[in-house]
Amino acid sequence: MKIKSSGAALSGIVRIGENLRQRERQTGQKILPLHRGINMVCRIDLNRLIGEIDFNTETIQNYPPSRGSRKLRQAVNTHFFQGKTHPENTLITAGGMNGLDLILQSLDIRQLFLPAFYWGSYLHILTIRRQEKAFYQTPRQLVQWIPRLRESAVLICDPGNPLGEKQNDSELYELIRKLNDNGISVLVDSPYRRLFTDDRDEFYARLAGLPNIVVCQSFSKSLGLSGQRIGFIHTANPALYQELHIRLMYCTNGINGFAQEAVWRLLDTPSGQSIVREFKRHTLTDIGRNLEFLKAKGLLATNFYTQAPAEGLFAVIRCGDKQLLEHRIGSVPLSFFTQDKEAAEGYSRICVSYPHREFVEYFLPESRNRKMFRQRKSRHKNDKLDKRSTNLCKINIP
């Protein structure tokens, strides 16, 4: 049979994960999985939510509405946009990637401008959709480029992936508004933002009425629901909304009813909001402690954070992935996320959403050695500590 080749490749990060798991099986030693892009400090406690859900209702067992349930779209309006938009401007999608793909299918643009350091899947989606791309170095640069951005679109991800940099909200809003006023389409893809904010966050509410702005959100990071594959698109442009609705219907025929019910309860019920607050409290505490640890040890690649601080889910550190793997730390080479391979040489991206105590033990092997020694001594009093384990040293900083 003849095949239409997409021209894209499977995720290199998935391949890294498979290689690390194979290494664990071969060596019997755990590898710290900082190559992954999910919150790993703790799980959101969905078990507390399950007892409140009646699975025998039409909401769960019938086909879901093609745009998403109205009560969930209303909850998005309330909790993301402070009630300053309308449920009819929102569509529920099968996660952020599905939302981005639908948007890129629907926009008639010459190019999509991406940040110089970008999430790798952007390129694969663009390749599949035969969409041209270009790159910008910093958001501030876009103001000077307004004439060349005509008939194109700009993607903004904040906090960023892979750098985890956080732009100033006021400056970012003014930039987006200026692009909007000049007729330039802007995709605001910020799946990490609401992990660090709550209902008091006014950023999306200020964007709500701008007709050239499309917000794409995922509940994977902010609610720890990567496995449920659910997010939303918001646009105040009626023509774009209509096209997105058509494509969404024939792409998914509605989004999983349980996932929608779970997200609605987490957003809009007191018990659900309590679960979210607890999840965020633990997660943000350890993200902050991990970032401070990297800074204190001189591991954070501060040259990437001169204009925006490291505050997100990811960080770039001054170690290569092979060197980190020697210390049983999984990572992704920074070169995976940029066209400028030379600028990325010797750096790695890691996820900092991981339990702080274990995070530190892998970066300070002598701490891990002491723990290993205590464990061995309690089990085998006459055994000597494996000499190989005492040869570990602190990661050498280039």
Side-chain angles (χ1 to χ4, degrees):
M1 64 182 69
K2 292 184 178 180
I3 307 297
K4 291 182 179 179
S5 174
S6 68
L10 293 174
S11 170
I13 297 177
V14 171
R15 187 174 66 252
I16 287 173
E18 292 171 349
N19 291 339
L20 293 179
R21 286 190 291 274
Q22 182 179 6
R23 187 182 180 106
E24 285 182 326
R25 289 192 296 269
Q26 292 172 342
T27 64
Q29 294 181 316
K30 180 183 176 182
I31 295 173
L32 194 68
L34 303 187
H35 62 287
R36 302 173 71 187
I38 58 176
N39 289 302
M40 293 178 279
V41 173
C42 65
R43 298 184 188 278
I44 191 162
D45 192 0
L46 292 182
N47 288 334
R48 287 169 53 188
L49 204 66
I50 294 299
E52 301 180 8
I53 299 176
D54 182 356
F55 288 86
N56 293 327
T57 62
E58 290 189 5
T59 301
I60 302 293
Q61 297 206 5
N62 284 8
Y63 285 118
S66 58
R67 293 184 295 177
S69 75
R70 183 175 177 81
K71 69 178 182 180
L72 177 54
R73 290 185 287 120
Q74 180 58 59
V76 168
N77 176 25
T78 301
H79 298 285
F80 281 77
F81 295 91
Q82 299 186 330
K84 295 180 180 178
T85 182
H86 193 278
E88 307 308 314
N89 291 337
T90 299
L91 301 118
I92 305 303
T93 65
M97 189 181 295
N98 173 238
L100 286 168
D101 186 39
L102 290 167
I103 294 166
L104 290 171
Q105 290 178 45
S106 304
L107 288 178
D108 185 5
I109 55 175
R110 183 166 50 88
Q111 291 178 310
L112 179 66
F113 280 77
L114 300 171
F117 290 92
Y118 51 79
W119 180 43
S121 293
Y122 291 145
L123 291 194
H124 295 303
I125 296 173
L126 290 170
T127 298
I128 292 170
R129 298 302 171 190
R130 304 291 192 265
Q131 179 63 64
E132 293 295 321
K133 61 187 179 297
F135 302 92
Y136 63 91
Q137 292 297 320
T138 67
R140 296 179 182 88
Q141 188 179 44
L142 293 170
V143 176
Q144 304 167 358
W145 283 9
I146 284 177
R148 67 180 290 193
L149 296 176
R150 307 290 183 192
E151 300 181 0
S152 294
V154 171
L155 186 143
I156 290 175
C157 179
D158 179 77
N161 177 7
L163 302 185
E165 81 284 21
K166 178 70 191 77
Q167 305 294 330
N168 176 275
D169 276 353
S170 296
E171 293 178 6
L172 191 59
Y173 169 75
E174 288 303 322
L175 164 65
I176 294 172
R177 183 188 59 77
K178 188 168 292 187
L179 294 174
N180 174 83
D181 293 349
N182 280 272
I184 297 163
S185 300
V186 182
L187 280 63
V188 180
D189 176 43
S190 299
Y192 317 101
R193 180 180 182 88
R194 286 306 291 262
L195 176 65
F196 300 92
T197 63
D198 56 26
D199 291 5
R200 294 168 292 183
D201 179 19
E202 298 180 343
F203 188 74
Y204 289 132
R206 298 180 74 189
L207 299 179
L210 302 181
N212 295 311
I213 308 307
V214 190
V215 173
C216 184
Q217 254 292 345
S218 164
F219 296 112
S220 294
K221 307 303 185 294
S222 61
L223 300 182
L225 296 178
S226 299
Q228 298 306 312
R229 307 312 308 135
I230 184 168
F232 71 81
I233 298 172
H234 177 278
T235 174
N237 186 305
L240 176 59
Y241 187 92
Q242 177 64 16
E243 185 61 29
L244 286 168
H245 185 193
I246 292 170
R247 292 175 184 266
L248 177 64
M249 180 172 66
Y250 292 114
C251 173
T252 66
N253 198 23
I255 305 306
N256 181 280
F258 167 74
Q260 293 195 63
E261 181 71 14
V263 171
W264 172 73
R265 289 181 179 276
L266 289 170
L267 291 179
D268 217 37
T269 67
S271 58
Q273 291 165 355
S274 173
I275 293 170
V276 173
R277 283 194 298 270
E278 186 173 337
F279 165 73
K280 286 187 175 183
R281 178 171 60 83
H282 289 297
T283 298
L284 295 181
T285 296
D286 279 21
I287 286 177
R289 294 174 72 187
N290 290 339
L291 284 171
E292 287 304 315
F293 170 81
L294 293 174
K295 294 174 187 176
K297 295 300 178 182
L299 287 166
L300 187 71
T302 54
N303 47 305
F304 290 101
Y305 303 103
T306 57
Q307 297 189 36
E311 295 180 4
L313 198 73
F314 302 103
V316 173
I317 61 174
R318 299 169 56 211
C319 295
D321 62 303
K322 293 181 180 178
Q323 185 182 11
L324 289 169
L325 188 55
E326 291 175 1
H327 294 263
R328 296 195 279 125
I329 300 171
S331 65
V332 184
L334 187 58
S335 59
F336 272 47
F337 306 97
T338 184
Q339 302 289 293
D340 189 350
K341 306 303 181 186
E342 183 176 350
E345 183 68 27
Y347 298 101
S348 298
R349 186 206 76 169
I350 61 171
C351 177
V352 292
S353 184
Y354 204 86
H356 177 66
R357 181 173 296 179
E358 191 172 355
F359 186 93
V360 169
E361 285 177 356
Y362 277 77
F363 279 92
L364 296 177
E366 73 277 7
S367 171
R368 186 163 75 249
N369 290 343
R370 288 194 295 271
K371 182 177 180 181
M372 289 169 58
F373 180 74
R374 288 196 301 271
Q375 290 174 341
R376 287 188 175 216
K377 187 175 181 181
S378 63
R379 295 174 186 172
H380 307 287
K381 293 183 179 180
N382 296 324
D383 286 353
K384 293 183 178 179
L385 185 64
D386 188 339
K387 291 182 179 180
R388 289 174 297 178
S389 66
T390 63
N391 292 330
L392 291 169
C393 62
K394 292 182 181 180
I395 293 176
N396 295 317
I397 303 171

